[in-house]
Structure formats: structure tokens, C-alpha cells
Coordinates of all heavy atoms in Angstrom, one line a residue:
M1 N -28.0 49.1 -91.4 CA -28.6 49.2 -90.1 C -27.4 49.7 -89.1 O -26.3 49.2 -89.3 CB -29.0 47.8 -89.6 CG -29.9 47.8 -88.4 SD -30.6 46.2 -88.1 CE -30.3 46.0 -86.4
K2 N -27.8 50.6 -88.3 CA -26.8 51.1 -87.3 C -26.4 50.1 -86.3 O -27.3 49.4 -85.8 CB -27.3 52.4 -86.7 CG -26.4 53.2 -85.9 CD -27.1 54.4 -85.3 CE -26.2 55.3 -84.6 NZ -25.4 54.7 -83.5
R3 N -25.1 50.0 -86.1 CA -24.6 49.1 -85.0 C -24.9 49.8 -83.6 O -24.6 50.9 -83.4 CB -23.2 48.9 -85.2 CG -22.9 47.6 -85.9 CD -21.4 47.3 -85.8 NE -21.0 46.5 -87.0 CZ -20.1 46.7 -87.8 NH1 -19.3 47.8 -87.6 NH2 -19.9 46.0 -88.8
L4 N -25.4 49.0 -82.7 CA -25.5 49.5 -81.3 C -24.3 49.0 -80.5 O -23.7 48.0 -80.9 CB -26.9 48.9 -80.8 CG -28.1 49.3 -81.5 CD1 -29.3 48.7 -80.9 CD2 -28.2 50.8 -81.6
E5 N -24.1 49.7 -79.4 CA -22.9 49.2 -78.7 C -23.3 48.8 -77.2 O -24.3 49.2 -76.7 CB -21.8 50.2 -78.7 CG -22.2 51.5 -77.8 CD -21.0 52.5 -77.8 OE1 -20.4 52.7 -78.9 OE2 -20.7 53.1 -76.8
T6 N -22.5 48.1 -76.6 CA -22.7 47.7 -75.2 C -21.3 47.6 -74.5 O -20.3 47.9 -75.1 CB -23.4 46.3 -75.2 OG1 -23.7 46.1 -73.8 CG2 -22.3 45.2 -75.6
I7 N -21.4 47.5 -73.2 CA -20.2 47.5 -72.4 C -20.0 46.1 -71.9 O -21.0 45.5 -71.3 CB -20.3 48.5 -71.2 CG1 -20.3 49.9 -71.8 CG2 -19.1 48.2 -70.3 CD1 -20.6 50.9 -70.7
V8 N -18.9 45.5 -72.1 CA -18.6 44.1 -71.6 C -17.7 44.3 -70.3 O -16.7 44.9 -70.4 CB -17.8 43.3 -72.6 CG1 -17.4 41.9 -71.9 CG2 -18.6 43.1 -73.9
T9 N -18.3 43.9 -69.2 CA -17.5 44.0 -67.9 C -16.8 42.7 -67.7 O -17.4 41.6 -67.7 CB -18.5 44.2 -66.7 OG1 -19.2 45.4 -67.0 CG2 -17.7 44.4 -65.4
L10 N -15.5 42.8 -67.4 CA -14.6 41.6 -67.2 C -14.6 41.4 -65.7 O -14.2 42.4 -65.0 CB -13.2 41.8 -67.8 CG -13.2 42.1 -69.3 CD1 -11.7 42.3 -69.7 CD2 -13.8 40.9 -70.0
A11 N -14.9 40.3 -65.2 CA -14.8 40.0 -63.8 C -13.4 39.5 -63.5 O -13.0 38.5 -64.1 CB -15.8 39.0 -63.3
Q12 N -12.7 40.1 -62.6 CA -11.3 39.7 -62.3 C -11.3 38.6 -61.3 O -11.9 38.8 -60.2 CB -10.6 40.9 -61.9 CG -9.1 40.7 -61.8 CD -8.3 41.9 -61.4 OE1 -8.9 42.9 -60.9 NE2 -7.0 41.9 -61.5
A13 N -10.7 37.5 -61.5 CA -10.5 36.5 -60.6 C -9.6 36.9 -59.5 O -8.6 37.6 -59.8 CB -10.1 35.2 -61.2
P14 N -9.8 36.6 -58.3 CA -8.8 36.9 -57.2 C -7.4 36.3 -57.4 O -7.3 35.2 -58.0 CB -9.4 36.4 -55.9 CG -10.8 36.0 -56.2 CD -10.9 35.8 -57.7
T15 N -6.4 36.9 -57.1 CA -5.0 36.4 -57.2 C -4.4 36.0 -55.9 O -3.6 35.1 -55.7 CB -4.0 37.4 -57.9 OG1 -4.1 38.6 -57.2 CG2 -4.5 37.6 -59.3
D16 N -4.8 36.7 -54.8 CA -4.4 36.3 -53.5 C -5.4 36.7 -52.4 O -6.3 37.4 -52.7 CB -3.0 36.9 -53.2 CG -2.9 38.3 -53.5 OD1 -3.8 39.1 -53.1 OD2 -1.8 38.8 -54.0
V17 N -5.2 36.2 -51.3 CA -6.1 36.4 -50.1 C -5.3 36.8 -48.9 O -4.2 36.5 -48.7 CB -7.0 35.2 -49.8 CG1 -7.8 34.7 -51.0 CG2 -6.1 34.0 -49.4
E18 N -6.1 37.5 -48.0 CA -5.5 38.0 -46.8 C -6.5 37.9 -45.7 O -7.7 38.3 -45.9 CB -5.1 39.5 -46.9 CG -3.9 39.8 -47.6 CD -3.6 41.3 -47.6 OE1 -4.3 42.0 -46.9 OE2 -2.6 41.7 -48.3
F19 N -6.1 37.4 -44.5 CA -7.0 37.4 -43.4 C -6.1 37.3 -42.1 O -4.9 36.9 -42.2 CB -8.0 36.3 -43.4 CG -7.5 34.9 -43.5 CD1 -7.3 34.1 -42.3 CD2 -7.2 34.3 -44.7 CE1 -6.9 32.8 -42.4 CE2 -6.7 33.0 -44.8 CZ -6.5 32.3 -43.7
T20 N -6.7 37.6 -41.0 CA -6.1 37.6 -39.7 C -6.8 36.5 -38.9 O -8.0 36.5 -38.8 CB -6.1 38.9 -39.0 OG1 -5.4 39.9 -39.8 CG2 -5.4 38.8 -37.6
C21 N -6.1 35.6 -38.3 CA -6.7 34.6 -37.5 C -7.1 35.2 -36.2 O -6.3 35.8 -35.4 CB -5.7 33.4 -37.2 SG -6.3 32.2 -36.0
P22 N -8.4 35.0 -35.7 CA -8.8 35.6 -34.5 C -8.3 34.8 -33.2 O -8.4 35.3 -32.1 CB -10.3 35.5 -34.5 CG -10.6 34.4 -35.5 CD -9.4 34.4 -36.5
Y23 N -7.8 33.7 -33.4 CA -7.2 32.9 -32.3 C -5.8 33.2 -32.0 O -5.4 33.7 -30.9 CB -7.4 31.4 -32.6 CG -8.8 31.0 -32.7 CD1 -9.3 30.8 -34.0 CD2 -9.6 30.7 -31.6 CE1 -10.7 30.4 -34.2 CE2 -10.9 30.3 -31.8 CZ -11.4 30.2 -33.1 OH -12.7 29.8 -33.2
C24 N -4.9 33.0 -33.0 CA -3.5 33.2 -32.8 C -2.9 34.5 -33.3 O -1.8 34.9 -33.2 CB -2.6 32.1 -33.4 SG -2.7 31.9 -35.1
E25 N -3.9 35.3 -34.0 CA -3.5 36.6 -34.6 C -2.5 36.7 -35.6 O -1.8 37.6 -35.9 CB -3.2 37.6 -33.4 CG -4.4 37.8 -32.5 CD -4.3 38.8 -31.5 OE1 -3.1 39.4 -31.3 OE2 -5.2 39.2 -30.8
S26 N -2.3 35.5 -36.3 CA -1.4 35.5 -37.4 C -2.0 36.2 -38.6 O -3.2 36.1 -38.8 CB -1.1 34.0 -37.9 OG -0.5 33.3 -36.9
N27 N -1.2 36.9 -39.3 CA -1.7 37.5 -40.5 C -1.3 36.5 -41.7 O -0.2 36.2 -41.9 CB -1.0 38.9 -40.8 CG -1.5 39.9 -39.9 OD1 -2.8 40.1 -39.8 ND2 -0.6 40.6 -39.2
I28 N -2.3 36.1 -42.3 CA -2.2 35.1 -43.4 C -2.4 35.8 -44.7 O -3.3 36.4 -44.9 CB -3.1 33.8 -43.2 CG1 -2.8 33.1 -41.9 CG2 -3.0 32.9 -44.4 CD1 -3.8 33.2 -40.9
S29 N -1.4 35.6 -45.6 CA -1.5 36.2 -47.0 C -0.9 35.1 -47.8 O 0.1 34.6 -47.7 CB -0.6 37.4 -47.0 OG -0.6 37.8 -48.3
E30 N -1.9 34.6 -48.7 CA -1.5 33.5 -49.6 C -2.1 33.6 -51.0 O -3.1 34.3 -51.2 CB -1.6 32.1 -48.9 CG -3.0 31.7 -48.8 CD -3.2 30.3 -48.2 OE1 -2.3 29.4 -48.3 OE2 -4.2 30.1 -47.5
D31 N -1.4 32.8 -51.8 CA -1.9 32.8 -53.3 C -3.3 32.2 -53.2 O -3.6 31.3 -52.5 CB -1.0 31.8 -54.0 CG -1.3 31.7 -55.4 OD1 -1.0 32.6 -56.2 OD2 -2.0 30.7 -55.8
F32 N -4.2 32.8 -54.0 CA -5.6 32.4 -54.0 C -5.7 30.8 -54.3 O -6.6 30.2 -53.7 CB -6.3 33.2 -55.2 CG -7.8 32.9 -55.2 CD1 -8.7 33.0 -54.1 CD2 -8.4 32.3 -56.3 CE1 -10.0 32.8 -54.2 CE2 -9.7 32.0 -56.4 CZ -10.6 32.3 -55.3
E33 N -5.0 30.3 -55.3 CA -5.1 28.9 -55.7 C -4.7 28.0 -54.5 O -5.3 27.0 -54.2 CB -4.2 28.6 -56.9 CG -4.6 29.3 -58.2 CD -6.0 28.8 -58.7 OE1 -6.3 27.6 -58.4 OE2 -6.7 29.5 -59.4
D34 N -3.6 28.5 -53.8 CA -3.1 27.7 -52.6 C -4.3 27.7 -51.5 O -4.4 26.7 -50.8 CB -1.8 28.3 -52.1 CG -0.7 28.1 -53.0 OD1 -0.8 27.2 -53.9 OD2 0.4 28.7 -52.8
F35 N -4.9 28.9 -51.3 CA -5.9 29.0 -50.3 C -7.1 28.1 -50.7 O -7.6 27.4 -49.8 CB -6.5 30.5 -50.3 CG -7.7 30.7 -49.5 CD1 -7.6 30.8 -48.1 CD2 -8.9 30.9 -50.1 CE1 -8.7 31.1 -47.3 CE2 -10.0 31.2 -49.4 CZ -9.9 31.2 -47.9
L36 N -7.5 28.0 -51.9 CA -8.5 27.0 -52.3 C -8.1 25.6 -52.0 O -8.9 24.8 -51.4 CB -8.9 27.1 -53.8 CG -9.4 28.5 -54.3 CD1 -9.8 28.3 -55.7 CD2 -10.7 28.9 -53.5
D37 N -6.9 25.2 -52.3 CA -6.4 23.9 -52.1 C -6.4 23.6 -50.5 O -6.8 22.6 -50.1 CB -4.9 23.7 -52.6 CG -5.0 23.4 -54.1 OD1 -6.1 23.3 -54.7 OD2 -3.8 23.4 -54.7
D38 N -5.7 24.5 -49.8 CA -5.6 24.4 -48.3 C -7.0 24.2 -47.7 O -7.1 23.4 -46.7 CB -4.9 25.5 -47.7 CG -3.4 25.6 -48.1 OD1 -2.9 24.6 -48.7 OD2 -2.8 26.6 -47.8
Q39 N -8.0 25.0 -48.1 CA -9.2 24.9 -47.5 C -10.2 24.0 -48.1 O -11.4 23.9 -47.6 CB -9.8 26.4 -47.5 CG -8.9 27.4 -46.9 CD -8.7 27.2 -45.4 OE1 -9.5 26.5 -44.7 NE2 -7.7 27.9 -44.8
G40 N -9.8 23.3 -49.2 CA -10.7 22.4 -49.8 C -11.9 23.0 -50.5 O -13.0 22.5 -50.5
L41 N -11.7 24.3 -51.0 CA -12.8 25.0 -51.7 C -12.6 25.0 -53.2 O -11.4 24.8 -53.6 CB -12.7 26.5 -51.2 CG -13.0 26.7 -49.7 CD1 -12.6 28.2 -49.3 CD2 -14.4 26.4 -49.3
S42 N -13.7 25.2 -53.9 CA -13.5 25.4 -55.3 C -14.2 26.6 -55.7 O -15.3 27.0 -55.2 CB -14.0 24.1 -56.1 OG -15.3 24.1 -56.2
W43 N -13.6 27.3 -56.7 CA -14.1 28.6 -57.1 C -15.5 28.5 -57.6 O -16.3 29.4 -57.3 CB -13.1 29.0 -58.3 CG -13.3 30.4 -58.8 CD1 -13.2 30.8 -60.1 CD2 -13.6 31.7 -58.1 NE1 -13.4 32.2 -60.3 CE2 -13.7 32.7 -59.1 CE3 -13.9 32.0 -56.8 CZ2 -14.0 34.0 -58.8 CZ3 -14.2 33.3 -56.5 CH2 -14.2 34.3 -57.4
S44 N -15.9 27.5 -58.2 CA -17.3 27.3 -58.7 C -18.4 27.2 -57.6 O -19.5 27.5 -57.9 CB -17.4 26.1 -59.7 OG -17.0 25.0 -59.0
D45 N -17.9 26.9 -56.4 CA -18.9 26.8 -55.3 C -19.0 28.2 -54.5 O -19.5 28.2 -53.5 CB -18.5 25.8 -54.3 CG -18.5 24.4 -55.0 OD1 -19.3 24.2 -55.9 OD2 -17.8 23.5 -54.5
F46 N -18.4 29.2 -55.0 CA -18.1 30.4 -54.3 C -19.3 30.9 -53.4 O -19.1 31.2 -52.2 CB -17.7 31.6 -55.1 CG -17.6 32.9 -54.4 CD1 -16.6 33.0 -53.4 CD2 -18.5 34.0 -54.5 CE1 -16.5 34.2 -52.6 CE2 -18.5 35.1 -53.7 CZ -17.4 35.2 -52.8
P47 N -20.6 30.9 -53.9 CA -21.6 31.4 -53.0 C -21.9 30.7 -51.8 O -22.4 31.2 -50.8 CB -22.9 31.5 -53.9 CG -22.4 31.3 -55.3 CD -21.0 30.6 -55.2
D48 N -21.4 29.4 -51.8 CA -21.6 28.5 -50.6 C -20.4 28.7 -49.5 O -20.5 28.1 -48.5 CB -21.7 27.1 -51.0 CG -22.9 26.8 -51.9 OD1 -23.9 27.5 -51.7 OD2 -22.8 26.0 -52.8
W49 N -19.4 29.4 -49.8 CA -18.2 29.4 -49.0 C -18.6 30.0 -47.6 O -18.0 29.6 -46.7 CB -17.1 30.3 -49.6 CG -16.5 29.7 -50.8 CD1 -16.8 28.5 -51.5 CD2 -15.4 30.3 -51.5 NE1 -16.0 28.4 -52.5 CE2 -15.1 29.4 -52.6 CE3 -14.6 31.4 -51.3 CZ2 -14.0 29.6 -53.5 CZ3 -13.6 31.6 -52.2 CH2 -13.3 30.8 -53.2
E50 N -19.5 30.9 -47.5 CA -19.8 31.6 -46.3 C -20.3 30.6 -45.2 O -20.3 31.0 -44.0 CB -20.7 32.7 -46.4 CG -20.3 33.7 -47.5 CD -20.6 35.2 -47.2 OE1 -20.9 35.4 -46.1 OE2 -20.5 35.9 -48.1
Y51 N -20.8 29.4 -45.6 CA -21.3 28.5 -44.8 C -20.3 27.5 -44.2 O -20.5 26.7 -43.3 CB -22.5 27.7 -45.4 CG -23.5 28.6 -45.9 CD1 -23.7 28.8 -47.3 CD2 -24.4 29.3 -45.0 CE1 -24.7 29.7 -47.8 CE2 -25.3 30.1 -45.5 CZ -25.5 30.3 -46.9 OH -26.4 31.2 -47.3
D52 N -19.1 27.6 -44.8 CA -18.0 26.7 -44.4 C -16.9 27.5 -43.6 O -16.4 28.4 -44.1 CB -17.3 26.1 -45.6 CG -18.2 25.0 -46.3 OD1 -18.9 24.4 -45.6 OD2 -18.1 24.9 -47.5
P53 N -16.6 27.0 -42.4 CA -15.5 27.7 -41.7 C -14.2 27.3 -42.4 O -14.1 26.3 -43.1 CB -15.5 27.0 -40.3 CG -16.2 25.7 -40.5 CD -17.2 25.9 -41.6
I54 N -13.2 28.2 -42.3 CA -11.8 27.9 -42.8 C -11.0 27.5 -41.6 O -11.4 27.7 -40.4 CB -11.2 29.0 -43.5 CG1 -11.1 30.3 -42.6 CG2 -12.1 29.4 -44.8 CD1 -10.3 31.4 -43.3
K55 N -9.8 27.0 -41.9 CA -8.9 26.5 -40.9 C -7.6 27.4 -40.9 O -7.0 27.6 -41.9 CB -8.5 25.1 -41.1 CG -8.4 24.2 -39.9 CD -8.2 22.8 -40.1 CE -9.1 22.0 -39.3 NZ -8.9 20.5 -39.4
C56 N -7.2 27.9 -39.7 CA -6.0 28.6 -39.6 C -4.8 27.7 -39.9 O -4.7 26.7 -39.3 CB -5.8 29.3 -38.3 SG -4.2 30.1 -38.1
P57 N -3.9 28.0 -40.9 CA -2.8 27.1 -41.2 C -1.7 27.1 -40.1 O -0.9 26.2 -40.1 CB -2.1 27.8 -42.5 CG -2.7 29.2 -42.5 CD -4.0 29.2 -41.8
F58 N -1.8 28.0 -39.1 CA -0.9 28.0 -38.0 C -1.3 27.3 -36.8 O -0.7 26.4 -36.3 CB -0.5 29.5 -37.6 CG 0.3 30.2 -38.8 CD1 -0.3 31.0 -39.6 CD2 1.7 29.9 -39.0 CE1 0.3 31.6 -40.7 CE2 2.3 30.5 -40.0 CZ 1.7 31.4 -40.9
C59 N -2.5 27.7 -36.2 CA -3.0 27.1 -35.1 C -4.1 26.0 -35.3 O -4.6 25.3 -34.4 CB -3.5 28.1 -34.1 SG -5.1 29.0 -34.6
E60 N -4.6 26.0 -36.6 CA -5.5 24.9 -37.0 C -6.9 25.1 -36.3 O -7.7 24.1 -36.4 CB -5.0 23.5 -36.8 CG -3.6 23.4 -37.4 CD -3.4 22.0 -38.0 OE1 -3.7 21.0 -37.3 OE2 -2.8 21.9 -39.1
N61 N -7.2 26.2 -35.7 CA -8.5 26.5 -35.3 C -9.5 26.7 -36.4 O -9.1 27.3 -37.5 CB -8.6 27.7 -34.3 CG -8.2 27.2 -32.9 OD1 -8.8 26.4 -32.3 ND2 -7.2 27.9 -32.4
E62 N -10.7 26.4 -36.3 CA -11.7 26.7 -37.3 C -12.3 28.1 -37.1 O -12.6 28.5 -36.1 CB -12.9 25.7 -37.3 CG -12.4 24.3 -37.8 CD -13.6 23.4 -38.1 OE1 -14.7 23.6 -37.6 OE2 -13.4 22.6 -39.0
I63 N -12.3 28.8 -38.2 CA -12.8 30.2 -38.2 C -14.0 30.4 -38.9 O -14.1 30.1 -40.1 CB -11.6 31.2 -38.8 CG1 -10.3 30.8 -38.1 CG2 -11.9 32.6 -38.6 CD1 -9.1 31.4 -38.9
E64 N -15.0 31.1 -38.3 CA -16.2 31.5 -39.1 C -15.7 32.7 -40.0 O -14.9 33.5 -39.6 CB -17.2 32.1 -38.2 CG -17.9 31.0 -37.4 CD -18.8 30.1 -38.2 OE1 -19.4 30.6 -39.1 OE2 -18.9 28.9 -37.8
V65 N -16.2 32.7 -41.2 CA -15.7 33.7 -42.2 C -16.7 34.3 -43.1 O -17.8 33.7 -43.4 CB -14.6 32.9 -43.0 CG1 -15.2 31.9 -43.9 CG2 -13.8 33.9 -43.9
S66 N -16.5 35.6 -43.4 CA -17.2 36.1 -44.5 C -16.3 36.8 -45.5 O -15.2 37.1 -45.1 CB -18.3 37.2 -44.0 OG -17.6 38.2 -43.3
Y67 N -16.7 37.0 -46.7 CA -15.7 37.4 -47.8 C -16.1 38.8 -48.3 O -17.2 39.1 -48.4 CB -15.7 36.4 -48.9 CG -15.2 35.0 -48.5 CD1 -16.1 34.1 -48.0 CD2 -13.9 34.7 -48.6 CE1 -15.6 32.8 -47.6 CE2 -13.4 33.5 -48.2 CZ -14.2 32.5 -47.7 OH -13.8 31.4 -47.3
E68 N -15.0 39.5 -48.6 CA -15.2 40.7 -49.3 C -14.2 40.9 -50.4 O -13.2 40.2 -50.4 CB -15.0 41.9 -48.4 CG -13.7 42.0 -47.8 CD -13.4 43.3 -47.0 OE1 -14.4 43.9 -46.6 OE2 -12.2 43.6 -46.8
F69 N -14.5 41.7 -51.4 CA -13.6 41.9 -52.5 C -12.9 43.2 -52.2 O -13.6 44.2 -51.9 CB -14.3 41.9 -53.9 CG -14.7 40.5 -54.3 CD1 -15.9 40.0 -53.8 CD2 -13.9 39.8 -55.1 CE1 -16.3 38.7 -54.2 CE2 -14.3 38.5 -55.4 CZ -15.4 38.0 -55.0
D70 N -11.6 43.2 -52.5 CA -10.8 44.4 -52.3 C -11.2 45.5 -53.3 O -11.2 45.3 -54.5 CB -9.3 44.0 -52.4 CG -8.4 45.2 -52.0 OD1 -9.0 46.2 -51.4 OD2 -7.2 45.1 -52.2
Ligands
ZN1 ZN1 -4.5 30.8 -35.9

């Protein structure tokens, strides 16, 4: 029997994140794992993240956020 073929797409986990705080205008760039720890997020809950504000590590204001992949 002839073998059929398929394509396996590997999803790449993020390694770091970048955002600008709209309050103090700091540019934040940090390791993805540190970002999850700091924000109390877990990768497995990803689709729910958009409903949780994040906190600026500099001025500590809460920021509404949406996510995009680079
Ligand atoms: Zn800030």
C-alpha cells in the first residue's frame, strides 16, 4: 500500500514579550516565563488572557491588553 504524506506544523512557544505602558510609557521587554509569573498567568489559560488586565511593572497601573504574535 502506498504511503500518504502529511505536514506537521510545529507551534512555537513565545520566548519573550514586548509592550509599552500607556501610563508611564515605559517599554517593557521581558522573558516570556517571567511575564507569566509576574502577571499570574499560565500558558494553558491563553484564550482567557484578553479578559485580564496586566500590571505595569514600573508604575503598577492596570492595562487593558490584547495579544498578537510577531
Ligand atoms: Zn507604567
